[in-house]
């Protein structure tokens, strides 16, 4: 059963030029699973309420974090103006986009801001030392669009069973990445054991649908090995 609480902002973290994370102080959080989401209400009125994934791991104590790609909406403007001490209301946990801990091999496919629940899962798997192997294929337009870039780099260095592969439309000098967009050829080449893995897809609905089609129609993955989270509200 989700709980609703009003909590103070503890920290604001700029992830990229248009992505911000907000950490709210929750001394004794209700139990949640990595990958679940919450509703955030910044002010009265539906325009100030949004669904956002929890972007930190339940292993990190004392706060809950959510991360928003900023648009020109009233909600984004209000979130962009938040500072430590401001109060927000959250309702959590919700959703079934969580890691199947009985499975030993996973692949995360993320487009842009779809990284938020997957970062939470990767951090949780590393912190809890889960007996599993994770490959993250993370697609963005440019290197400047990569949210959690340094955190993922640190996580990968600390956790040999996590492999992060960046896929960029526009490559950057001195940055290890694959050029293009995630397609069947990239998955076959980078993840030869893809048929043994559970896939977790997250991003705008159009991108999730396209990736789901690649996995089922071209790579013949069974439906039970494809788990999706659609960020309704993004095209
Ligand atoms: C389970 C879930 C988790 C999400 N996690 C994240 C996250 O971690 N980070 C993130 O940045 N975004 C996330 N989103 C998307 C987020 O809720 C907003 O929809 C999105 O950020 C656009 O809001 P906006 O205020 O920027 O734009 P707006 O301009 O307000 O929205 C763009 C358009 O989408 C419509 N819209 C907004 N929300 C919804 C909705 N829920 N369903 C259908 N239409 C909608 C608006 O009416 C408008 O037409 C998530 C969505 C869902 C459902």
């Amino acid at each position: 059963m989700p709980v609703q609480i009003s909590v103070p902002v503890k920290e604001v973290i700029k992830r990229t030029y248009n992505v911000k994370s907000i950490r709210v102080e929750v001394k004794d959080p209700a139990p949640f699973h990595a990958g679940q989401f919450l509703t955030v209400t910044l002010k009265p009125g539906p325009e100030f309420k949004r669904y956002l994934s929890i972007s930190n791991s339940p292993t990190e104590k004392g706060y809950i974090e959510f991360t928003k790609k900023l648009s020109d909406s009233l909600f984004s403007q209000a979130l962009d103006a938040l500072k430590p001490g401001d109060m927000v209301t959250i309702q959590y946990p919700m959703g079934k986009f969580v890691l199947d801990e009985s499975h030993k091999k996973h692949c995360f496919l993320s487009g842009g801001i779809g990284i938020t629940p997957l970062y939470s899962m990767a951090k949780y798997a590393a912190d809890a030392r889960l007996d599993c192997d994770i490959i993250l294929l993370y697609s963005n337009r440019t290197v400047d669009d990569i949210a959690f870039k340094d955190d993922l780099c640190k996580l990968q260095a600390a956790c040999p069973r996590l492999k992060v592969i960046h896929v960029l439309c526009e490559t950057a000098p001195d940055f290890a990445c694959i050029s293009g967009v995630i397609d069947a050829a990239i998955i076959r080449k980078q993840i030869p054991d893809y048929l043994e893995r559970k896939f977790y897809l997250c991003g705008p609905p159009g991108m999730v649908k396209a990736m789901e089609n690649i996995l089922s129609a071209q790579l013949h993955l069974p439906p039970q090995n494809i788990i999706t989270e659609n960020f309704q509200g993004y095209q």
Side-chain angles (χ1 to χ4, degrees):
M1 191 66 184
V3 296
Q4 181 168 311
I5 43 172
S6 281
V7 281
V9 172
K10 183 182 165 94
E11 197 181 347
V12 178
I13 304 170
K14 194 173 159 84
R15 299 283 180 192
T16 72
Y17 65 95
N18 67 351
V19 174
K20 264 190 181 177
S21 291
I22 306 294
R23 287 184 178 173
V24 290
E25 192 174 319
V26 188
K27 291 213 166 75
D28 190 14
F32 69 95
H33 294 290
Q36 288 192 292
F37 66 91
L38 39 65
T39 61
V40 181
T41 306
L42 303 179
K43 297 179 188 182
E47 63 275 37
F48 292 109
K49 181 174 180 176
R50 288 286 179 275
Y51 295 112
L52 295 173
S53 297
I54 298 174
S55 55
N56 68 314
S57 158
T59 50
E60 298 171 293
K61 300 299 177 199
Y63 65 91
I64 287 182
E65 182 190 282
F66 46 87
T67 300
K68 172 90 177 73
K69 179 173 169 185
L70 301 174
S71 65
D72 57 5
S73 72
L74 289 174
F75 181 91
S76 287
Q77 290 174 36
L79 185 140
D80 196 22
L82 285 175
K83 51 187 189 326
D86 289 347
M87 298 299 288
V88 305
T89 301
I90 58 171
Q91 192 180 11
Y92 76 104
M94 283 176 269
K96 295 181 176 159
F97 189 68
V98 298
L99 203 64
D100 174 0
E101 293 188 30
S102 69
H103 209 83
K104 300 294 173 219
K105 286 185 169 190
H106 305 280
C107 180
F108 297 169
L109 298 187
S110 162
I113 194 63
I115 189 65
T116 49
L118 297 173
Y119 179 75
S120 167
M121 288 189 209
K123 178 83 172 106
Y124 169 69
D127 286 354
R129 298 182 185 277
L130 294 189
D131 176 23
C132 70
D133 171 299
I134 297 172
I135 298 179
L136 164 64
L137 268 185
Y138 185 12
S139 146
N140 279 285
R141 200 168 55 79
T142 74
V143 72
D144 293 335
D145 291 297
I146 304 175
F148 299 96
K149 178 158 71 64
D150 296 341
D151 303 75
L152 283 168
C153 189
K154 280 185 208 145
L155 207 53
Q156 183 173 225
C159 181
R161 298 186 70 186
L162 169 69
K163 183 174 176 186
V164 181
I165 302 172
H166 291 283
V167 183
L168 296 181
C169 300
E170 289 173 31
T171 57
D174 305 325
F175 185 72
C177 67
I178 294 171
S179 169
V181 292
I182 297 173
D183 60 12
I186 287 182
I187 294 172
R188 278 196 195 96
K189 184 164 179 205
Q190 301 297 326
I191 313 169
D193 60 355
Y194 63 87
L195 283 172
E196 296 166 28
R197 290 180 183 267
K198 263 208 168 160
F199 279 72
Y200 300 75
L201 282 46
C202 186
M207 189 204 157
V208 170
K209 189 81 211 140
M211 291 192 293
E212 208 174 350
N213 282 341
I214 291 170
L215 294 177
S216 54
Q218 298 182 44
L219 298 174
H220 308 296
L221 253 94
Q224 68 271 22
N225 282 6
I226 306 174
I227 298 152
T228 61
E229 182 80 299
N230 281 290
F231 280 5
Q232 301 291 348
Y234 286 121
Q235 303 315 310

